[in-house]
Amino acid sequence: MRLLRETGHDVRVVPTESALKFVGAATWEALSGHPVTHEVWDDVPSVAHVERGRWADLVIVAPATADLLARAVAGMADDLLTTSLLTATCPVLFAPAMHTEMWLHPATQANVSTLRSRGMHVLPPAVGRLTGADSGPGRLPEPAQIMAAALPLLAPQDLAGRRVLVSAGGTREPLDPVRYLGNRSSGRQGVAVAQRARDRGAQVTLVAAHLDIDPPGGVDVIEVDTAASLRQAMVERLTEADVIVMAAAVADFRPAEVAEHKIKKTDSGRAEAISLALERTADVLVELVEARSAGQVIIGFAAETGSAAASALEIGREKLTRKGCDLLVVNDVSGDRVFGRDTNEAVILDRSGPDVDVPRASKAAVADTLWDTVAQRYLTHPIK
Ligand code: CTP
């Protein structure tokens, strides 16, 4: 419920009478902001038993008990949940939870097959500790797994068949065996870009440099460390991608020498200050643009603070031209407004179209605006 609300969805809860023995209606009402009932005889003037199913864009049954699966297969309509299931024309996702014997029983397995043959989605239950002392298949899948299955059912499938390569996170350049030069990128925005591409049907590879968060399920993850290893991972996969997104914060300089042993403060005698010699790293984005083939879409990110001489946006425009990419997502990062946060705001600069303003929203919503722009302006040709 929380994950759905946090991603901007309006959620209504339809419990069974038994479900209310575990979590009461007041809790669901407070969390959803809507009245909650299991009765078909409540709120009769709004014809709630028909209205709920018609209203929804997606129905998630979690936990789906063996009894509920059986009732759904039989088309029962003796409470608000089953009547809602019969009137829903949207996708339906069941997340089963029951004891192992009940899950493995031929009756339940036949019910699952029937639901799937009707186009409904049934997650396999997780394996682990159950309500009693027993453990095995039958645990309710974790909320993140239910979300990973639910979000694609809500998203437009406008990236289906497209191959997307995303870099995210921040590189680290070693100084000695225990120290590195790094940056404050958490990887959250790049991960959201990868995750929403996955939800919209793309086949996604994520080149991940030191993410603060877990990478999303359902995407290929290549872990990298330095600017050089990120460059290699991207260049190797360039030809396999239709869209490339450079969301990673890549070091522009690295220590010219990496000390073999830990640098001691007495190494430079009694010096009060030492200097580090740094050398330039390759500009990966420029290299990808130079090596690209026809039809490939390349997107850069720029975190800018602006300066006395130029605004963040002016710097972004100059950078779009200099880097030669198709789109550049410009964030104003002055005043600690972006790093490690769950929200972002940006302007998407387009080399061949008008700017797109992205007002402050979740990083997933920012990613969606980016994919809307890419799909509408750049992916109009059919899939090869
Ligand atoms: N980038 C890259 N390789 C680098 C540095 C940056 O591919 N060595 C990419 C980033 O992933 C991002 C874009 O270039 O998509 C812009 O990054 P930014 O650090 O803003 O650009 P710089 O070239 O470093 O510009 P400046 O130092 O002038 O701000």
Side-chain angles (χ1 to χ4, degrees), residues 274-352:
I274 60 164
S275 300
L276 291 175
L278 303 178
E279 63 184 18
R280 282 289 295 270
T281 58
D283 191 316
V284 185
L285 181 57
V286 167
E287 197 173 332
L288 296 174
V289 167
E290 281 168 3
R292 76 158 141 194
S293 43
Q296 276 182 321
V297 185
I298 304 190
I299 302 160
F301 270 71
E304 304 291 350
T305 58
S307 69
S311 70
L313 217 53
E314 283 162 345
I315 297 172
R317 284 210 179 84
E318 181 276 325
K319 197 170 275 186
L320 175 68
T321 316
R322 177 159 49 87
K323 300 260 183 182
C325 50
D326 299 300
L327 300 170
L328 188 74
V329 184
V330 181
N331 298 129
D332 186 341
V333 293
S334 55
D336 227 357
R337 281 184 287 191
V338 175
F339 292 119
R341 296 222 178 177
D342 292 326
T343 61
N344 201 357
E345 65 184 314
V347 180
I348 302 171
L349 304 181
D350 185 343
R351 76 174 159 78
S352 53

